[in-house]
Amino acid sequence: MKLKNILVFLILLVSGTGVSIAQNYIAVAKNGNVYDEANAKYITVNQNNEDVNVIPGMVFASSQHTPGWYKVEYSPGLHAFIPEQIVATNFTSVSPGSYDIKNNPGQKLKVEGNDDNWTGTINGNSYKGIKFEDILIFVDNNNNQVFSLVDLGNGPIAVTYDNSVTNFF
């Protein structure tokens, strides 16, 4: 009986660990800054010593949520914190279509797919789509996020994460 209890405990521990390292995404609902720590003392700056800013519709992988803050990866390998009050809580499902890139006017992202099979195409390049709840992330061959599509309730927002546009680093 004791061995059975230990086995059940180990199974629960392993399955619980799998859940805790699962990838989560958050979407930004309001303009804001990115911070070095989970407090508003130090705004994250890029290599030009400019504040790193986020805009509504941006989506980030989140590895930690503490009261008032989300730890995010805002660019491959770069982590910082976003205040909870600028993070969206409700979404509307997105659908296939052609969407203007909010932070790079003149560019359009063509989105095709359904369920768990999505593709984003722009300038003749195709990117694999990953759906997380009602958020779509498009990644390159290195699995780095290059575009996202989310609807915060006022229509779909497509965003590019090209550093020449975002100036994240």
Side-chain angles (χ1 to χ4, degrees):
M1 185 68 162
K2 191 172 185 173
L3 181 60
K4 182 179 178 183
N5 288 340
I6 291 172
L7 184 59
V8 169
F9 173 76
L10 289 174
I11 290 170
L12 290 172
L13 181 65
V14 169
S15 65
T17 302
V19 170
S20 68
I21 59 175
Q23 189 74 21
N24 289 314
Y25 289 91
I26 57 101
V28 174
K30 300 176 186 172
N31 289 321
N33 294 311
V34 176
Y35 296 88
D36 292 341
E37 299 175 11
N39 63 54
K41 190 171 182 179
Y42 300 108
I43 295 175
T44 302
V45 295
N46 62 20
Q47 64 186 0
N48 298 322
N49 207 34
E50 300 166 334
D51 293 352
V52 174
N53 300 304
V54 294
I55 62 170
M58 285 187 161
V59 173
F60 302 102
S62 176
S63 59
Q64 179 182 353
H65 179 218
T66 58
W69 297 92
Y70 284 92
K71 184 176 183 180
V72 299
E73 183 172 19
Y74 64 97
S75 195
L78 300 176
H79 296 87
F81 293 85
I82 292 180
E84 184 175 48
Q85 64 263 30
I86 69 168
V87 173
T89 56
N90 296 310
F91 307 99
T92 301
S93 292
V94 292
S95 57
S98 184
Y99 300 98
D100 292 325
I101 302 293
K102 179 177 183 173
N103 57 343
N104 200 12
Q107 248 189 339
K108 283 193 176 287
L109 177 67
K110 182 179 179 187
V111 176
E112 298 175 310
N114 56 44
D115 299 325
D116 291 328
N117 188 20
W118 294 89
T119 303
T121 306
I122 192 163
N123 299 330
N125 297 312
S126 290
Y127 301 94
K128 177 185 173 192
I130 300 168
K131 188 171 184 183
F132 177 80
E133 295 176 2
D134 289 324
I135 297 172
L136 282 174
I137 307 296
F138 298 94
V139 296
D140 63 15
N141 291 336
N142 296 320
N143 222 28
N144 293 320
Q145 181 175 325
V146 289
F147 298 98
S148 65
L149 181 65
V150 65
D151 188 338
L152 305 175
N154 297 318
I157 302 170
V159 174
T160 180
Y161 296 89
D162 182 341
N163 191 61
S164 66
V165 175
T166 63
N167 296 307
F168 281 163
F169 58 90

